[in-house]
Amino acid sequence: FSANVTQWSPGDYDGANNTEDDYAIITKNANGFDFRSDDYGSTVATASELAAEGNDVFQWGNIETQTDADVFEFTTGSGTVTFDINPLQENPNLDIQATLYDSGGAVIATSNPAGQLDASFNLSLDGGTYYLGVEGVGLPGSYSAYGSIGFYSIEGTIISAAGVDIGEAGHVTINHEWATVQLERSYENPVVIMGPASRNGGDVLTVRVDNVTSTSFDVQLDEWDYRDGRHVPETVSYMVFEAGEYLLMDGTKVRAGTGESGGRWKTYDLSESIFDSTPLVFSQVMTTNGEEAVTTRIRDASASSFRLRVQEQQANNPQRHVTETVGYLAITPGTGMDGDFVYEASTTGQVVTNKSHQLDFSQSFSDVPVFLAAMQSYAGGDAATVRLREALTADQATIFIEEERSHDSEMRHNAEDVGYLAISVGNILGDDQDGDKPPEFIYGPGYNPGFAGLPGYYSTDTPELWAALAEMESWGDEIVGELGCSADLLAFNHGHSHGHDHGHDHGHDHGHDHDHDHESDVASHLHASDHDDPCCTCADCMNSIGNELGLQNLISDNGFNMESNETVNTPILGTANRIQDLAGSVQLENNLNPHVFDIGFESEEPTAMDHELGDVDVF
């Protein structure tokens, strides 16, 4: 039981005393089932698409027979790609060899680490199309590829290509009167973020947005209230995103959204987002519920939240601005270039004051980029904005902190950390991350890897059910004193049958020394009362998980009732269904009555059935 791998075997290892062909016996016509159908293409020419969300790869599959190989096609940008290909966590059947091919089918690299069952790659590739192959292999001198079949998962990262249109970026020249910006596409929930204004006129100002629609928004220069309100034309950058989460080509993570804020600090929750490090945050008031000129300030940003307030001029105390709709853009630092699409997101550190600060872009822009800049710190509390000191160029931006002077004449400001984002004019390209991959080892609709020891292995088209199943511990962890509805029957099978070789140390003729009385007790228990767990019913167990996830009423007393009209009775989710899955790579569909069945074990003296099926226990 401590062996690294467990496999069916034809006795092709040293010391074997039983050379029967297990697969031929198990899958013969009289038994009514065969190997699983092949799930993916087996050559470069018939390769299946590798499942990827942006930079993240997640795929699963089965090696159904000893001659099977699964081949996947993927496209990556230039950079480092990683793949981890793993069998089941404990005592799997499959010993994996993985191969990476170029677009012409030539082998780039092979992974089959000595003494390990998994495979992995971590290497730099040029942008292009590649192929990843997975197959089962043997270990010379110990075992062959005969029994090296079964489930595997692939997790890793690639370099996402530029992707699809997720937003747009441009410049607009405006003054103190409202102007309408027509968008290039239609949005369901647009988030508008404005950049710092140029400095053709010296009066202090903010940029105000209103009347945001699916295809346009209005914008004006808004001088602080103590000024006369008239201003010469200035050039301002803008970006518009559909509210959601995205990945740019280098893995830079983006979240665009809206909220309601007023004059008090409010915490914006990012805990359910894709961030694993602190993003830069840019924000914009998108309504004019209050007539006063306002800006937004950010503080205490982290991977899980940030704080934001709407700020009026300093003379307006106390700060009691009415609630406004605020758009925000959170983005992790990063850079990328793919043809004409170029971007750079970074931070200055806490060095920017009311004096000029020059930013030299590390990326090469072919033209003047769209430019956002916002204070990430709150070192100085006076009302202020980031503004351009000189005209923006393709190579650099010169910025400073501009305080208003409604309360006093001084404009000195403490050093602030300023985040900035420069991006090419036009469409913003990336990958939509709102449709995230399922949790680890939660299989998609219609897929069943045939293993009862993992949560969430039932096929369903109902994502809420997947979420509930994902929260359950291994079935074996729910055993309370005796076997029942939640018994880990795979472990039970291994513990009472030695016809299935363990680590290739035992022959098939070591499977006849069980405690027969205990077997009879277990068989009797499993045969009784629809096999409910002694502490609770299957429905109770699942309802408990569902309630924790806010999925109340997902499960009724009679079973799982979904809006899709799919109904699964509680007993079918119990013992019988798990026994059906014990065979792993072979199909047992519709061969067991889900409510009543018998369970048998080998006796000391072989019976006719024992002789016919070899030494395989029959459930």
Side-chain angles (χ1 to χ4, degrees):
F1 291 98
S2 62
N4 196 28
V5 64
T6 63
Q7 294 180 341
W8 297 105
S9 171
D12 54 1
Y13 55 91
D14 291 343
N17 57 10
N18 190 328
T19 58
E20 67 187 18
D21 186 340
D22 291 335
Y23 291 144
I25 294 172
I26 293 172
T27 62
K28 66 182 181 178
N29 291 336
N31 290 332
F33 52 83
D34 203 339
F35 291 97
R36 281 183 174 274
S37 299
D38 194 9
D39 48 3
Y40 301 110
S42 298
T43 66
V44 167
T46 62
S48 304
E49 182 178 358
L50 188 63
E53 287 283 354
N55 285 25
D56 295 325
V57 171
F58 188 83
Q59 185 78 56
W60 49 77
N62 248 312
I63 300 299
E64 288 85 12
T65 68
Q66 67 186 92
T67 60
D68 182 34
D70 291 346
V71 181
F72 301 95
E73 178 181 349
F74 67 94
T75 299
T76 182
S78 298
T80 300
V81 301
T82 65
F83 295 110
D84 291 312
I85 306 100
N86 294 290
L88 289 170
Q89 295 101 318
E90 298 180 7
N91 305 106
N93 303 153
L94 181 62
D95 184 354
I96 295 172
Q97 175 174 290
T99 306
L100 200 60
Y101 305 89
D102 66 16
S103 58
V107 175
I108 297 174
T110 299
S111 177
N112 182 22
Q116 296 177 216
L117 304 180
D118 58 352
S120 64
F121 295 105
N122 186 330
L123 69 168
S124 180
L125 298 177
D126 293 331
T129 298
Y130 297 87
Y131 299 88
L132 176 64
V134 180
E135 60 187 315
V137 295
L139 179 64
S142 296
Y143 54 91
S144 70
Y146 174 89
S148 198
I149 65 175
F151 172 81
Y152 64 86
S153 66
I154 303 172
E155 293 188 80
T157 58
I158 59 175
I159 306 301
S160 174
V164 298
D165 175 9
I166 60 173
E168 59 191 86
H171 301 290
V172 60
T173 299
I174 54 175
N175 61 16
H176 56 277
E177 296 180 344
W178 288 104
T180 299
V181 176
Q182 296 294 334
L183 301 177
E184 296 296 324
R185 53 168 281 193
S186 178
Y187 296 84
E188 292 184 8
N189 186 14
V191 178
V192 179
I193 308 293
M194 305 302 299
S198 60
R199 199 166 185 268
N200 299 326
D203 284 352
V204 294
L205 55 79
T206 68
V207 179
R208 198 68 181 267
V209 170
D210 194 20
N211 194 29
V212 178
T213 73
S214 61
T215 58
S216 67
F217 65 90
D218 293 342
V219 61
Q220 71 167 10
L221 300 178
D222 200 6
E223 288 190 353
W224 292 101
D225 300 338
Y226 71 95
R227 303 304 299 173
D228 65 10
R230 299 181 62 83
H231 200 94
V232 300
E234 304 281 5
T235 299
V236 184
S237 296
Y238 67 86
M239 293 186 197
V240 182
F241 284 84
E242 187 74 70
E245 296 188 334
Y246 309 94
L247 281 183
L248 303 185
M249 67 185 71
D250 69 324
T252 295
K253 299 174 180 180
V254 178
R255 176 169 175 165
T258 60
E260 303 296 323
S261 286
R264 297 180 179 275
W265 288 104
K266 176 182 176 180
T267 298
Y268 283 65
D269 184 17
L270 298 176
S271 61
E272 299 299 322
S273 70
I274 58 178
F275 296 113
D276 50 17
S277 61
T278 300
L280 309 175
V281 181
F282 307 91
S283 54
Q284 176 66 48
V285 174
M286 293 169 50
T287 53
T288 55
N289 298 332
E291 296 180 354
E292 299 85 358
V294 291
T295 187
T296 54
R297 292 293 297 272
I298 300 294
R299 68 185 304 178
D300 303 330
S302 70
S304 59
S305 67
F306 64 88
R307 299 179 69 194
L308 182 149
R309 67 174 292 195
V310 174
Q311 188 176 33
E312 296 179 0
Q313 65 181 20
Q314 190 178 3
N316 297 358
N317 272 321
Q319 294 276 325
R320 292 178 176 174
H321 195 81
V322 298
T323 299
E324 305 275 6
T325 297
V326 175
Y328 68 87
L329 175 68
I331 180 171
T332 53
T335 60
M337 177 182 292
D338 187 1
D340 294 332
F341 179 57
V342 184
Y343 63 90
E344 176 177 333
S346 189
T347 180
T348 63
Q350 197 160 335
V351 297
V352 183
T353 66
N354 54 292
K355 297 181 179 181
S356 298
H357 180 87
Q358 181 174 304
L359 292 171
D360 295 318
F361 301 137
S362 64
Q363 295 292 86
S364 297
F365 293 95
S366 60
D367 204 347
V368 178
V370 172
F371 180 73
L372 304 184
M375 287 175 276
Q376 307 298 297
S377 56
Y378 194 69
D382 290 353
T385 62
V386 178
R387 191 165 177 187
L388 291 169
R389 177 76 74 181
E390 300 174 4
L392 189 67
T393 71
D395 302 315
Q396 65 185 33
T398 302
I399 60 174
F400 71 104
I401 306 298
E402 183 181 68
E403 283 192 4
E404 52 81 26
R405 292 185 289 182
S406 63
H407 180 67
D408 53 46
S409 60
E410 63 87 16
M411 298 182 68
R412 294 186 301 273
H413 197 91
N414 295 337
E416 302 279 8
D417 182 12
V418 173
Y420 68 90
L421 171 60
I423 200 166
S424 304
V425 173
N427 292 338
I428 301 172
L429 304 179
D431 290 296
D432 189 345
Q433 293 295 289
D434 287 345
D436 291 334
K437 69 185 182 184
E440 185 177 8
F441 291 116
I442 303 303
Y443 315 114
Y447 188 84
N448 185 332
F451 185 81
L454 292 175
Y457 75 102
Y458 292 103
S459 300
T460 178
D461 293 326
T462 307
E464 291 83 0
L465 181 56
W466 280 112
L469 289 168
E471 292 296 313
M472 295 192 73
E473 298 291 337
S474 172
W475 296 110
D477 294 339
E478 297 182 21
I479 300 174
V480 182
E482 56 181 316
L483 293 174
C485 166
S486 299
D488 185 345
L489 291 174
L490 182 64
F492 177 77
N493 185 29
H494 281 184
H496 291 269
S497 169
H498 295 273
H500 191 189
D501 287 347
H502 292 272
H504 315 288
D505 297 329
H506 307 290
H508 285 286
D509 55 349
H510 289 78
H512 305 289
D513 56 353
H514 306 298
D515 182 340
H516 188 75
D517 291 339
H518 177 64
E519 295 159 7
S520 299
D521 292 341
V522 172
S524 175
H525 178 80
L526 291 175
H527 187 74
S529 184
D530 280 340
H531 329 297
D532 284 341
D533 191 290
C535 67
C536 56
T537 67
C538 288
D540 289 336
C541 294
M542 293 303 298
N543 265 323
S544 176
I545 299 298
N547 289 338
E548 291 182 12
L549 296 174
L551 302 177
Q552 291 86 349
N553 303 319
L554 174 67
I555 304 161
S556 73
D557 293 338
N558 298 321
F560 289 80
N561 297 316
M562 276 69 74
E563 292 182 0
S564 61
N565 295 323
E566 177 186 9
T567 299
V568 183
N569 292 328
T570 299
I572 296 178
L573 287 174
T575 307
N577 209 345
R578 292 169 206 156
I579 289 179
Q580 286 183 327
D581 286 334
L582 292 180
S585 294
V586 297
Q587 294 180 348
L588 288 170
E589 296 178 2
N590 303 319
N591 283 290
L592 289 176
N593 184 311
H595 298 283
V596 180
F597 57 90
D598 293 318
I599 181 169
F601 297 89
E602 297 172 3
S603 59
E604 291 289 342
E605 297 181 2
T607 65
M609 180 174 286
D610 290 330
H611 178 73
E612 180 181 0
L613 292 179
D615 291 331
V616 181
D617 290 342
V618 182
F619 290 83

